[in-house]
């Protein structure tokens, strides 16, 4: 029992920084929100690990759960402090590194299919270049650019549709729905 | 990106404390301790009773034989180990104090909420108590030349009841964390009132207070059992059984407390699923958690029945 506890604390110490960084980048450095989400991720780990055993790759497990926690959060909470029209997703210099911009992008990504959202996550939040993504996925850079372009168009569509009528009844109604439903 | 994505040291420390406590608390009821237990309830009770009896005898022998320091050299080595533990706990206390000062400064300048200061102060108190525990352990090692013994039936040494002294510190530590849990609940209540968190979030904070109150009640009961043993009102075997009963009762109450939250979460997930906000998997996960906790409660009930039967048999002798 003591060994298990020590093992968990050891995993905690090894993973807390990369896990926090993963979450923090997706909420634009909003420390209060990042801390809440990281804590919730760890509480889920403590729910699961004692009965099911610690995973072989704890950090990968934690990041997967953190991703689900982020998606759940952004499906519940709608950012209202920024207008999507002010985001130029196509601009080369655009990075969602402010809390407002990151919240809006994450909110939009949580309403897209995972397969499409992951391209933008890698590019915007993990700071990977097109070349790095292409190498990781054994694809051509052109192929990656195409997928990023299509994902950006989808994200823009999701944000435009939900955010344009900001504050009116239509916006509120859309806020609670998944894209494409 | 110019924003820092490094966690605050006080957050790392605070979450580590929580992870350690939660890991300890959750492992108790969740580890399947009786995988080999027969399916028939009667057979299961008989087997468990036999295990309780055997482990009491074996446990006593193991504790007695463990780490015996027969020579002066071994005794000195053991004492040196505990001296180093005091130094380590003292260093942790220094860090906790420095962090508290930093948090106070941030609170005064409006950079952190008041709750952070309450938590940091509680960590200082907890660190002070850990230094005290380490000092008590060293004193016992110097007197006995053996590892400190925290069994309920451990003997009083040279007129000192080290078990009671250390368990008293444990009670103080839990009481200290209760203040933080209450402050967290008050903050959660405010956030709930303005719609920042949902009902499940509030229920979790309420459950945190209840969990600590239960732990506090359990720790005080352990002290009471120890007192009864020391004053010869009960024998060692009965004291062990009463302690097992207290622990099983606490596990049951803790699981019931968690079940209340899990049921709130399930209702929440079901409602969101009906509105298309979460997937069926989220609802299934919430259902699974409810079933797990119901199983834990049943298991604790079985353990309690067996232990109470043993206690009744001893009374009948």
């Amino acid at each position: 029992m003591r060994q298990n506890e020590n093992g968990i604390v050891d995993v905690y110490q090894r993973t807390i920084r990369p896990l926090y960084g993963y979450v923090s980048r997706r909420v634009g450095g909003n420390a209060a929100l990042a801390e809440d989400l990281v804590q919730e991720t760890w509480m889920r780990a403590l729910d699961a690990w004692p009965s099911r055993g610690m995973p072989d790759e704890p950090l990968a497990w934690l990041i997967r759960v953190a991703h689900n926690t982020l998606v759940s959060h952004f499906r519940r909470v709608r950012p209202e402090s920024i207008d999507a029209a002010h985001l130029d997703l196509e601009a080369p210099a655009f990075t969602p590194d402010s809390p407002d911009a990151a919240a809006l992008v994450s909110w939009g990504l949580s309403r897209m299919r995972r397969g499409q959202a992951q391209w933008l996550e890698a590019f915007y939040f993990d700071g990977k270049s097109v070349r790095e993504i292409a190498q990781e996925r054994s694809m051509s850079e052109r192929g990656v650019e195409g997928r990023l372009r299509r994902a950006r168009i989808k994200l823009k569509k999701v944000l435009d549709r939900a955010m344009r009528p900001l504050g009116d009844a239509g916006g509120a109604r859309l806020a609670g729905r998944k894209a494409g439903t | 990106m110019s924003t820092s994505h490094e966690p605050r040291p006080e957050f790392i420390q605070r979450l580590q404390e929580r992870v350690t406590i939660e890991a300890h608390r959750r492992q108790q009821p969740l580890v399947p301790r009786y995988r080999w237990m027969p399916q028939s309830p009667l057979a299961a009770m008989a087997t468990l009773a036999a295990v309780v009896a055997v482990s009491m005898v074996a446990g006593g022998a193991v504790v007695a034989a463990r780490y015996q320091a027969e020579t002066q050299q071994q005794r000195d080595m053991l004492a040196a180990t505990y001296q180093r533990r005091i130094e380590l706990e003292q260093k942790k206390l220094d860090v906790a104090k420095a962090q508290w000062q930093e948090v106070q400064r941030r609170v005064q300048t409006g950079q952190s909420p008041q709750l952070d200061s309450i938590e940091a102060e509680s960590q200082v108190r907890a660190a002070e108590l850990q230094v005290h525990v380490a000092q008590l352990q060293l004193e016992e090692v110097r007197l006995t030349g053996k590892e400190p013994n925290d069994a309920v039936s451990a003997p009083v040494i040279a007129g000192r009841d080290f078990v009671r002294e250390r368990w008293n510190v444990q009670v103080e530590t839990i009481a200290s964390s209760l203040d933080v849990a209450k402050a967290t609940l008050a903050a959660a209540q405010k956030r709930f009132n303005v719609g920042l968190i949902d009902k499940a979030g509030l229920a979790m904070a309420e459950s945190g207070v209840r969990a600590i109150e239960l732990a506090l009640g359990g720790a005080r009961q352990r002290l009471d059992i120890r007192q009864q043993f020391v004053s010869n009102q009960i024998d060692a075997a009965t004291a062990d059984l009463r302690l097992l009963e207290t622990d099983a009762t606490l596990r049951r109450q803790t699981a019931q407390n968690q079940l209340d939250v899990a049921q709130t979460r399930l209702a929440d997930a079901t409602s969101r699923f009906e509105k298309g906000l979460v997937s069926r998997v989220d609802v299934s996960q919430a259902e699974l958690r409810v079933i797990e906790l119901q199983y834990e409660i049943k298991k604790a009930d079985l353990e309690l029945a067996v232990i109470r039967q043993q206690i009744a048999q001893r009374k009948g002798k």
Side-chain angles (χ1 to χ4, degrees), chain B residues 50-102:
Chain B
V51 168
V52 168
V54 169
S55 47
M56 276 165 51
V57 174
V62 168
V63 168
R66 193 177 168 211
Y67 301 130
Q68 295 282 342
E70 289 174 357
T71 66
Q72 184 62 40
Q73 191 185 9
Q74 284 173 316
R75 178 184 295 231
D76 290 345
M77 280 172 63
L78 198 53
T81 304
Y82 279 88
Q83 182 61 49
R84 278 199 293 279
R85 170 145 189 228
I86 292 175
E87 288 159 12
L88 179 67
E89 297 298 343
Q90 188 62 53
K91 282 199 173 77
K92 284 185 186 171
L93 174 59
D94 294 341
V95 171
K97 281 179 176 171
Q99 282 175 343
W100 185 28
Q101 282 177 348
E102 172 61 16

Side-chain angles (χ1 to χ4, degrees), chain A residues 38-93:
Chain A
V38 168
Q39 177 166 307
E40 185 166 346
T41 301
W42 260 100
M43 291 307 113
R44 288 189 187 189
L46 292 170
D47 278 342
W49 292 358
S51 55
R52 295 172 208 164
M54 199 182 290
D56 293 336
E57 298 286 345
L59 181 58
W61 190 98
L62 287 164
I63 283 183
R64 197 166 57 246
V65 172
H67 175 267
N68 294 340
T69 308
L70 276 156
V71 169
S72 297
H73 169 78
F74 283 112
R75 282 179 181 170
R76 282 199 310 269
V77 181
R78 178 182 191 244
E80 294 188 5
S81 56
I82 190 170
D83 191 336
H86 294 146
L87 291 185
D88 186 0
L89 299 171
E90 303 287 342

Side-chain angles (χ1 to χ4, degrees), chain B residues 20-186:
Chain B
T20 308
I21 292 168
E22 291 287 324
H24 180 74
R25 189 164 65 83
R26 293 181 194 207
Q27 275 179 1
Q28 290 275 349
L30 288 177
V31 171
R33 297 162 76 202
Y34 307 115
R35 288 174 202 274
W36 42 267
M37 186 175 275
Q39 291 302 306
S40 148
L42 274 176
M45 284 170 72
T47 312
L48 190 54
V51 168
V52 168
V54 169
S55 47
M56 276 165 51
V57 174
V62 168
V63 168
R66 193 177 168 211
Y67 301 130
Q68 295 282 342
E70 289 174 357
T71 66
Q72 184 62 40
Q73 191 185 9
Q74 284 173 316
R75 178 184 295 231
D76 290 345
M77 280 172 63
L78 198 53
T81 304
Y82 279 88
Q83 182 61 49
R84 278 199 293 279
R85 170 145 189 228
I86 292 175
E87 288 159 12
L88 179 67
E89 297 298 343
Q90 188 62 53
K91 282 199 173 77
K92 284 185 186 171
L93 174 59
D94 294 341
V95 171
K97 281 179 176 171
Q99 282 175 343
W100 185 28
Q101 282 177 348
E102 172 61 16
V103 171
Q104 279 180 312
R105 190 190 62 75
R106 292 173 66 92
V107 169
Q108 279 163 6
T109 54
Q111 292 172 280
S112 293
Q114 183 64 31
L115 182 60
D116 282 4
S117 177
I118 297 170
E119 283 181 355
E121 185 181 359
S122 167
Q123 277 164 21
V124 170
R125 181 72 188 129
E128 283 171 348
L129 292 169
Q130 284 309 305
V131 172
H132 188 197
V133 167
Q135 286 166 340
L136 288 170
Q137 286 175 329
L138 178 60
E139 285 176 46
E140 183 175 342
V141 166
R142 282 187 174 143
L143 281 171
T144 63
K146 299 174 189 170
E147 284 276 338
N149 186 355
D150 273 323
V152 67
S153 50
V156 172
I157 298 158
R160 284 191 66 179
D161 184 354
F162 283 104
V163 176
R164 185 182 57 77
E165 289 183 44
R166 282 194 289 267
W167 285 6
N168 265 329
V169 175
Q170 197 180 34
V171 168
E172 283 184 61
T173 308
I174 299 170
S176 163
S177 62
L178 183 59
D179 295 338
V180 178
K182 283 181 176 172
T184 305
L185 174 58

